[in-house]
C-alpha cells in the first residue's frame, strides 16, 4: 500500500514559543538523565507541577541505557517557566512483568491530582492511572489491557462519569501503524467502557501514520479544547537524530469537543498547531522533527500554556490566547 506523503508543515501563526525554551533540559536535572521530555504539567495547590520522563545514557556518544532504567522526575514552579527540580525521581513501577513506566499526563479532579502513564510490559504496552495528593505517594487505580496508551483524563465528570481519551494500537487488524483517538468513560476510574472512535488518521490532512491524544483537555465556553499529536512518515527521511534512521515527524494539533458529549467533535483545526521548526525541535537531539504536547494550562487572563517534548530530548512551552485557539478549531469546522 502506498502511503501519501505530507509536504512541508508550519505552525499556526498565533502560537508563540517562549524565549526561555527549552524550559527543562537534561543538564538541569541533578541525577543525570540523557533525555527529559514528554512531561505532564498542571496547576495543583497553587503551583505549577511537572512530572517528566527521564531516559538515561550518554548524550555525547548518542547511546541510551536499556529501557528498564527509564523513570519519572518531578519539578515545581511559581511561573510555569523556571522550575525547581526535585533531587530524585518520583515514580517508576517495577516487578516481573514491568519493563518501564513513562509519558505522564496530569489532571486535577475534585482537588486530587491524577496521573495517566504508559507501561511497557513483557506482554504489551498498557495504560495506567494513578492518584496522588503530594507526589510522594501514588496509588495505582487501574491498568488497561495491551495495547493501549496516550491516555488523558478530562478534569471533571461529564454526565456523572469520568471520561478519558486514549490511543489503542491495533497492529493486527490494521496491518501497520494506523492508530486513532478513542473516547471512553468510567463510573469510578477503574472500570472503563462505552468506547467510541473520536478521530481517525484520515481526519487530519497532516497525518499519514497515526494520531493520538496529547495534553488533557481544558474547559472553555465553546467546548473542551483538546491537544492531539499527529505523525507522518516519509521513507526517504534518513538519519535524523541518534538512530540509524528516523523517518517520522510529530506535530501538535487541536480539536474542540462538545461540553456535554465529548465524543462529538465540534471543531477541528486542519493544520498543525505546532510543527517542528525551532532548532531544538527540528535539528538537534535524540529524534529530530518531533513535537509532542503533554500539558495544557489555561490561565485566568486567557493565556494557554502548551507544554511539549521536543526532539524526545527537552521540554518546551508555547502560548496563545484561548479565544484564538477556539477560533482556529471552529473555523476549521466539525469532523467530516
Amino acid at each position: 500500500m502506498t502511503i501519501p506523503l505530507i509536504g512541508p508543515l508550519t505552525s499556526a501563526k498565533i502560537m508563540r514559543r517562549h524565549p526561555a525554551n527549552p524550559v527543562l533540559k537534561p543538564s538541569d536535572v541533578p541525577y543525570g538523565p540523557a533525555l527529559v521530555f514528554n512531561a505532564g504539567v498542571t496547576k495543583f495547590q497553587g503551583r505549577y507541577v511537572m512530572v517528566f520522563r527521564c531516559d538515561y545514557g550518554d548524550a555525547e556518544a548518542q547511546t541510551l541505557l536499556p529501557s528498564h532504567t527509564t523513570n519519572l522526575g518531578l519539578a515545581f514552579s511559581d511561573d510555569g517557566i523556571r522550575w525547581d527540580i526535585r533531587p530524585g525521581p518520583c515514580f517508576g513501577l517495577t516487578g516481573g512483568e514491568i519493563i518501564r513506566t513513562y509519558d505522564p499526563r496530569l489532571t486535577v479532579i475534585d482537588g486530587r491530582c491524577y496521573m495517566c502513564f504508559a507501561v511497557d510490559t513483557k506482554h504489551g504496552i498498557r495504560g495506567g492511572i494513578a492518584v496522588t495528593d503530594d507526589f510522594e505517594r501514588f496509588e495505582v487505580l487501574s491498568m488497561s489491557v495491551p495495547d493501549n496508551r496516550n491516555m488523558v483524563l478530562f478534569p471533571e465528570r461529564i454526565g456523572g462519569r469520568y471520561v478519558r481519551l486514549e490511543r489503542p494500537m491495533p497492529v493486527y487488524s490494521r496491518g501497520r501503524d494506523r492508530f486513532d483517538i478513542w473516547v471512553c468513560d468510567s463510573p469510578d476510574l477503574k472500570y472503563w467502557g462505552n468506547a467510541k472512535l473520536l478521530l481517525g488518521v484520515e481526519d487530519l490532512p497532516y497525518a499519514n501514520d497515526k494520531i493520538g491524544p496529547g495534553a488533557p483537555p481544558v474547559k472553555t465556553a465553546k467546548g473542551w479544547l483538546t491537544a492531539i499529536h499527529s505523525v507522518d512518515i516519509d521513507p526517504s527521511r534518513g538519519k535524523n537524530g541518534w538512530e540509524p534512521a528516523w523517518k517520522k515527524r510529530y506535530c501538535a494539533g487541536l480539536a474542540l469537543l462538545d461540553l456535554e458529549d465529548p465524543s462529538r467533535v465540534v471543531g477541528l483545526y486542519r493544520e498543525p498547531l505546532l510543527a517542528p521548526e525551532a532548532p531544538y525541535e527540528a535539528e538537534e537531539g535524540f529524534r529530530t522533527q518531533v513535537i509532542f504536547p503533554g500539558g495544557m494550562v489555561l490561565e485566568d487572563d486567557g493565556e494557554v500554556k502548551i507544554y511539549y517534548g521536543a526532539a524526545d530530548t527537552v521540554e518546551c512551552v508555547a502560548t496563545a490566547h484561548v479565544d484564538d485557539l477556539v477560533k482556529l478549531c471552529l473555523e476549521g469546522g466539525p469532523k467530516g
Side-chain angles (χ1 to χ4, degrees):
M1 178 179 176
T2 301
I3 300 174
L5 302 184
I6 309 296
L9 297 173
T10 57
S11 303
K13 293 181 179 179
I14 65 169
M15 297 304 300
R16 297 290 180 265
R17 288 167 172 83
H18 199 279
N21 277 348
V23 295
L24 184 71
K25 307 181 295 297
S27 59
D28 298 329
V29 181
Y31 40 93
L35 312 171
V36 291
F37 63 109
N38 286 9
V41 183
T42 192
K43 273 187 170 178
F44 184 63
Q45 297 180 350
R47 291 187 297 175
Y48 297 84
V49 59
M50 176 192 290
V51 178
F52 53 92
R53 172 176 170 173
C54 299
D55 286 10
Y56 298 85
D58 186 334
E60 187 172 339
Q62 297 191 349
T63 58
L64 289 179
L65 294 178
S67 294
H68 66 79
T69 62
T70 296
N71 53 33
L72 302 183
L74 175 66
F76 295 98
S77 175
D78 292 325
D79 62 5
I81 304 301
R82 295 165 294 183
W83 294 90
D84 173 22
I85 296 110
R86 294 307 158 102
C90 70
F91 186 82
L93 298 181
T94 59
E97 264 294 296
I98 305 295
I99 298 172
R100 65 173 174 177
T101 53
Y102 57 104
D103 288 3
R105 306 286 178 262
L106 302 179
T107 307
V108 177
I109 307 173
D110 297 333
R112 307 191 77 194
C113 193
Y114 293 83
M115 182 174 74
C116 296
F117 54 93
V119 187
D120 286 352
T121 80
K122 294 177 182 178
H123 292 85
I125 300 174
R126 304 175 69 184
I129 300 174
V131 64
T132 183
D133 297 306
D134 55 13
F135 295 92
E136 295 180 4
R137 293 169 296 274
F138 291 83
E139 178 189 359
V140 177
L141 301 176
S142 68
M143 296 273 286
S144 75
V145 297
D147 278 317
N148 202 351
R149 61 176 294 197
N150 294 127
M151 294 175 177
V152 300
L153 292 171
F154 284 70
E156 62 183 60
R157 279 171 280 198
I158 303 172
R161 300 179 71 83
Y162 297 96
V163 182
R164 79 181 182 197
L165 304 179
E166 58 192 17
R167 192 200 72 184
M169 303 166 68
V171 174
Y172 179 79
S173 62
R174 305 295 291 273
R176 62 177 181 88
D177 277 12
R178 191 74 181 180
F179 310 147
D180 312 298
I181 303 175
W182 289 69
V183 58
C184 63
D185 62 40
S186 169
D188 56 8
L189 288 166
K190 296 182 180 181
Y191 301 101
W192 293 86
N194 299 319
K196 297 179 182 178
L197 178 67
L198 181 74
L199 286 167
V201 176
E202 65 276 8
D203 294 315
L204 294 186
Y206 55 94
N208 67 9
D209 185 57
K210 55 188 175 182
I211 64 172
V218 298
K219 192 175 188 178
T220 76
K222 300 291 187 179
W224 294 103
L225 196 62
T226 305
I228 59 182
H229 73 271
S230 72
V231 184
D232 75 282
I233 190 167
D234 183 341
S236 70
R237 294 180 183 138
K239 188 179 187 308
N240 295 295
W242 297 8
E243 298 174 308
W246 175 245
K247 303 179 184 301
K248 296 178 180 179
R249 173 175 51 186
Y250 279 67
C251 296
L254 197 66
L256 193 67
L257 311 181
D258 185 81
L259 287 174
E260 297 182 0
D261 178 9
S263 69
R264 189 169 75 89
V265 178
V266 297
L268 180 65
Y269 186 48
R270 298 184 182 278
E271 299 178 35
L273 183 67
L274 284 169
E277 295 169 308
Y280 48 81
E281 302 160 353
E283 301 169 13
E284 305 164 357
F286 175 58
R287 288 172 172 161
T288 62
Q289 299 292 324
V290 172
I291 284 177
F292 199 107
M296 187 158 55
V297 176
L298 174 57
E299 306 289 9
D300 292 340
D301 64 359
E303 181 188 66
V304 177
K305 291 184 174 73
I306 298 177
Y307 293 87
Y308 62 96
D312 282 2
T313 305
V314 294
E315 188 69 18
C316 302
V317 63
T319 62
H321 195 277
V322 63
D323 293 344
D324 293 330
L325 293 170
V326 168
K327 184 179 179 182
L328 282 183
C329 292
L330 292 177
E331 288 181 347
K335 183 182 75 169

